[in-house]
């Protein structure tokens, strides 16, 4: 099920979009302000972001630019005023993938989102993940914190990549084990706990502020620790 972040200060527009997308099978999280939208976009994993340009506290362009600093691949669809050419240009330059002028028909919003998600699905999955000072690059198989390399084993690397791609989400032991080790979780082993312990120690030794938090009865959650 695809999870979207909607950043929109107009409750009528937000309600209209949320209802339509929910009926189409999306899970839609709503943020009313730019600061709240930015906080959630950096702390959680979403399949796409729908972002209004004109927000009361922080410009959607600024939010988009900050999101792009941390995630180069998440699709961003910006909502702009019909005649605001400068907003559209600024949004695209900040890293937005597409824009939709207001007022808009829901069918067009859905079609543009579907197109962005299809394009994202066929792009190479081995993209870099960043959380502030911490950067993981699958193409080079390198992890750095403040530019300094972290010495991780192949399994530690895969585990950190899985957490980073789903930052902020509570992940079950079954999910983690299947994704990293390739088979179902053996409840009689503490393998995940051991490797989480390894990662915690190496992140702490490198001075990375991110944390791997235990979620009682579920598994673990990567808690972002971006700095600046």
């Amino acid at each position: 099920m695809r999870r979207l972040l909607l950043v929109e200060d107009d409750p009528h527009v937000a309600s209209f979009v949320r209802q339509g997308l929910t009926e189409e099978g999306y899970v839609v999280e709503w943020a009313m302000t730019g600061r709240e939208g930015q906080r959630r976009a950096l702390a959680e994993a979403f399949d796409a972001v729908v972002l209004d340009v004109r927000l009361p506290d922080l410009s959607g362009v600024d939010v988009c630019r900050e999101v792009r600093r941390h995630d180069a691949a998440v699709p961003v669809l910006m909502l702009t005023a019909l005649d605001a050419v400068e907003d559209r240009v600024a949004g695209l330059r900040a890293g937005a993938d597409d824009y939709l002028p207001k007022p808009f028909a829901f069918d067009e919003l859905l079609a543009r989102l579907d197109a962005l998600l299809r394009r994202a699905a066929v792009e190479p999955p081995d993209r870099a993940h960043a959380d502030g000072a911490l950067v993981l690059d699958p193409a080079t198989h390198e992890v750095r914190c403040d530019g300094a390399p972290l010495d991780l084993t192949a399994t530690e690397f895969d585990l950190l990549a899985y957490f980073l791609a789903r930052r902020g989400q509570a992940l079950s032991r079954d999910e983690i084990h299947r994704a990293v080790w390739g088979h179902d979780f053996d409840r009689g082993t503490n393998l995940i706990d051991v490797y989480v312990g390894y990662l915690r120690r190496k992140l702490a030794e490198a001075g990375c502020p991110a944390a791997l938090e235990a979620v009682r009865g579920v598994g673990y959650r990567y808690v972002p620790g971006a700095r600046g």
Side-chain angles (χ1 to χ4, degrees):
M1 190 172 290
R2 285 168 171 169
R3 189 164 178 260
L4 307 180
L5 176 64
L6 171 64
V7 188
E8 169 60 65
D9 65 312
D10 186 328
H12 298 292
V13 174
S15 176
F16 161 69
V17 171
R18 288 182 81 191
Q19 180 178 343
L21 290 177
T22 299
E23 290 175 356
E24 292 293 327
Y26 291 90
V27 174
V28 183
E29 303 290 341
W30 176 35
M32 285 191 68
T33 67
R35 294 191 189 283
E36 175 67 9
Q38 177 174 292
R39 183 191 67 78
R40 296 199 64 176
L42 300 185
E44 304 173 47
F46 294 96
D47 293 293
V49 178
V50 179
L51 176 62
D52 189 25
V53 170
R54 306 239 173 143
L55 297 165
D57 60 335
L58 187 65
S59 164
V61 172
D62 291 332
V63 174
C64 183
R65 189 176 294 114
E66 188 65 17
V67 168
R68 277 288 170 259
R69 286 184 59 226
H70 292 265
D71 191 334
V74 63
V76 177
L77 174 62
M78 300 205 77
L79 305 178
T80 71
L82 182 61
D83 58 349
V85 176
E86 69 278 7
D87 285 345
R88 300 200 291 272
V89 172
L92 292 172
R93 285 179 174 169
D97 297 282
D98 198 1
Y99 66 85
L100 183 61
K102 292 180 176 180
F104 54 84
F106 176 77
D107 285 347
E108 184 176 3
L109 170 69
L110 184 62
R112 287 175 182 264
L113 264 179
D114 285 345
L116 290 178
L117 289 166
R118 281 197 306 273
R119 189 168 73 196
V122 299
E123 289 176 349
D126 291 341
R127 59 184 175 84
H129 296 286
D131 175 29
L134 180 65
V135 179
L136 180 147
D137 188 351
T140 61
H141 219 263
E142 292 180 330
V143 180
R144 294 180 176 272
C145 186
D146 279 332
L150 273 70
D151 184 18
L152 302 184
T153 68
T155 300
E156 290 167 353
F157 182 94
D158 290 344
L159 183 58
L160 182 58
Y162 186 71
F163 277 125
L164 270 171
R166 293 154 183 83
R167 59 191 187 274
Q169 295 184 27
L171 303 170
S172 73
R173 293 172 182 272
D174 288 329
E175 290 177 290
I176 297 168
H177 206 283
R178 195 176 302 113
V180 177
W181 281 271
H183 51 82
D184 291 337
F185 177 55
D186 179 357
R187 299 185 182 278
T189 180
N190 67 342
L191 187 64
I192 292 174
D193 305 298
V194 169
Y195 271 90
V196 166
Y198 292 158
L199 272 181
R200 281 172 168 166
R201 186 180 70 250
K202 291 184 178 182
L203 288 169
E205 288 173 350
C208 284
L212 301 177
E213 176 183 86
V215 181
R216 185 184 297 274
V218 179
Y220 287 97
R221 175 192 294 116
Y222 177 92
V223 181
R227 295 191 298 234

